[in-house]
Amino acid sequence: ARLDLMRNGLDGTMPPEIGMLSNVQTMLLEVNNINGAIPSEVGMLQNLLYLDLYRNSFDGTIPTEIGMVSKLQNLDLFANNIVGTIPTEIGMVSMLNDLKLYDNKITGTIPSEFGMVSTLRNLELYANNINGTIPTEVGVLQDLQTLALHHNNINGTIPSELGMMFWLINVRLHDNILTGKIPSELGKAKHIEEINLDSNLITGTIPSEIGQLIGGFAWFGVLRLILSNNSLTGTIPSEIGSLPQLEQLHLFTNRLSGTIPTEVGNLKALEATFNLSSNLLTGTVPSELGLVATIKKLDLSRNGLKKSLLHLGESTSYTYLNVSHNVFTSFPFNDAWRELETFDLSNNNIFQKIPENLAPLSSLKDLFISNNYFYGSVPNSIRSLVRMERLHLDHNALYGTIPDDILSLVRLRELKLSHTRQGRQCFHHLWECSMIIKDYKGGDLCCYRNDGTQVCADESKVEIEDPDICLTPEIYGTIPVGFSNTPYLRVLELSNNALTGNIPPEIGALSRLEVLDLTNNTLTGSIPSALGALADATVLLRGNEMIRGQSTNTKIAPLSVCSNMHGLDLLDDPTWCPPERNLLREFYEDAKGQEWTIATGWVDEFSNHCDWYGVECNEEGKIVNLTLGNVGLSGRISSAIVNLTSLEKVDFHDNDLKGSIPSQIGNLLNLSSFIISYNRITGTIPDRLADLSQLQILHLHGNRLQGTVPRLSSKGHTKSSFITDCGSPSVFDVPLDCPSCTMCCNSRQECDITKSKTDFGMWSLVFIGSAVLFFFFVFF
């Protein structure tokens, strides 16, 4: 009998009555939404051969009663939420072929009882939380073809007994914490097609016996050997060349040393990627490697490989070529690499020119030659690299100007052309240079340093001071105009060159820009206001001593730049970006400065904020007085003013300000006068007014404030020192309470020098009491 309810959208739990289906041989409930635990009653299904419950939402544990289903051949419970351990009773299911428990939340160890299931062909327990070791008993499973234990927490060593498993095809133990050595006995498993031990803690050497995995029949043989991300040492065994059917060989991120064996040239079936990066390999790259035409991606980076790689030019199949972080001295730019997309030569000792003709490399998206000794100018043929996205030419010995052709690369995302300045170098002997002084007629000139290295410069940077020749190799000239053609640009690094002229304003329109580094050049002019649009970018401009303000000879950055750009390196320099200027801008915006009747100088990009109307500064450039009475202020009083800590006088009388008094007004410890009378300010009086110990004038009347004015200092009082709306009648049921006021005003805008309504009552009582006493003495 067969129960097939797969892919029916079933939900709910699996009923215990399922155990009554005693004649069912095939139960297919996969790919539904069934939840809850698997009922123990499944153990009653004595005739069951296939139990497929995968891709549901089962939780709970695997019932131990599963061991009673003696005829079971396939148990597929993968892709659920099953927890707990694997029951040892599964070892009693002697006819089991496939056990697939992967992609659950199973814990505990692998039962050694699996060794009793001699019929087992596929054991797939990956993507769980299984720990412990791989039991040696699996070695007796002669029919096992797939051992998939990856993505767990399995530790210990790889059992040598795996070599006894005659039909073993796939060994997937990657992403665990296995230790120890790769057992040489694996070489005896004649039918293995895949060994994946990636991302473990395996040590020791790669056993030479690995070369015996050529298969017992012509169609067998290891296809995938993945040993990357371990701590393997020693050399790459030449016997690897005996695996002609090998399609994938991953040995990267180990501690392998020695040379690359020439036998790798025998691996004619290698597919796509050959990666030996992040090892300790030395010597030269064998020419035989260039003959493996199937390799599309070659990564030899982060080793100690040396000398030339000219012979790699014989291969025309590369799409990715990374030989960075080695000690190569030369490398080809092969015209036949028409499919090459990524070319990384960075961090080597390459001393050569960039080829004049780059047109054959028109498929390039990424060109990295940073940190070498490339010399010469950037060729105009750079414009032919129309697919270029990342161009890193920095930290070389390049010279000349930046060609406008770079800006024709409309897909460009990163341009790094920094650190070319090498300083002026003079040579005193004729034989140190490529020609004698009298023969020099212009053009590039190269001379040799004492250590044998060469330095070159173009004609404009060659100085003849007979008998000396002096060279100044560097990128110079102006930053080209036309960055609007590169809208995808994210990184622009042109630092540590000899660039002159102005910063092109259109750089500010590069909305995707994340890094702009122009430090340590000789740029002039002013910082463009347009850069203020780069609010989220890191913008580095230090080391350009000739940049000034727009209309003055002082160093000052545009207000919009200092206000909007949190990643500006000049932001913490009060000369370039006075912090109080930014605070005044916030005040201006909150008080609707565009509506003021007088706002001379306010928020001008390059003007000194101390020259703005109503602003007075001390000798240190700190704001001390802010006098803006009757000029049309509206909006609200910005909380930014509480950070103007040198402020002594504030006068905002007769405006249309709303909102409340900033609660942190007590920060202004130097404040002696605070006048905000005749506005429309509301809210309660801040308690921190009491902190203003220097306050001599406080005018809060003509507003709609409530609460109590804290008791204030009596220092320097006059009749008009402290004035609030503490008189009657009031716009509120209870007038403002101000025990320290020298004058109270009421809702009729009448002001009296008596202090408060409480004092009015007190004097009334005194008067009435005096009258009564006078009457008593006269008439009695």
Side-chain angles (χ1 to χ4, degrees), residues 72-73 88-99 111-121 137-138 140-144:
L72 192 63
Q73 296 179 16
T88 59
E89 287 78 2
I90 288 181
M92 300 167 57
V93 186
S94 60
M95 300 178 65
L96 194 63
N97 296 148
D98 290 349
L99 178 59
S112 60
E113 287 78 2
F114 281 170
M116 300 166 55
V117 189
S118 60
T119 57
L120 201 59
R121 290 198 303 262
E137 287 79 2
V138 299
V140 302
L141 301 176
Q142 291 297 300
D143 290 338
L144 196 69

Side-chain angles (χ1 to χ4, degrees), residues 691-724:
D691 297 338
L692 304 179
S693 60
Q694 302 298 315
L695 199 61
Q696 298 180 27
I697 297 177
L698 176 67
H699 291 183
L700 305 181
H701 55 293
N703 287 288
R704 296 178 62 85
L705 294 164
Q706 300 183 70
T708 301
V709 179
R711 186 169 297 278
L712 302 169
S713 168
S714 61
K715 180 181 178 181
H717 280 187
T718 65
K719 294 179 180 178
S720 59
S721 289
F722 301 151
I723 308 176
T724 68

Side-chain angles (χ1 to χ4, degrees), residues 604-632:
D604 285 350
E605 284 287 71
F606 289 96
S607 65
N608 189 318
H609 62 285
C610 294
D611 298 329
W612 295 358
Y613 176 80
V615 179
E616 183 180 343
C617 298
N618 60 21
E619 292 181 355
E620 290 78 31
K622 297 290 187 179
I623 301 170
V624 292
N625 294 340
L626 200 51
T627 307
L628 294 169
N630 195 25
V631 296

Side-chain angles (χ1 to χ4, degrees), residues 2-8 26-30:
R2 178 185 178 94
L3 177 62
D4 187 349
L5 296 175
M6 60 184 292
R7 301 178 187 275
N8 270 284
T26 301
M27 184 175 292
L28 307 178
L29 301 179
E30 67 265 27

Side-chain angles (χ1 to χ4, degrees), residues 206 257 343 354 507 598-599:
I206 301 173
S257 57
F343 193 13
I354 299 175
I507 291 177
I598 306 176

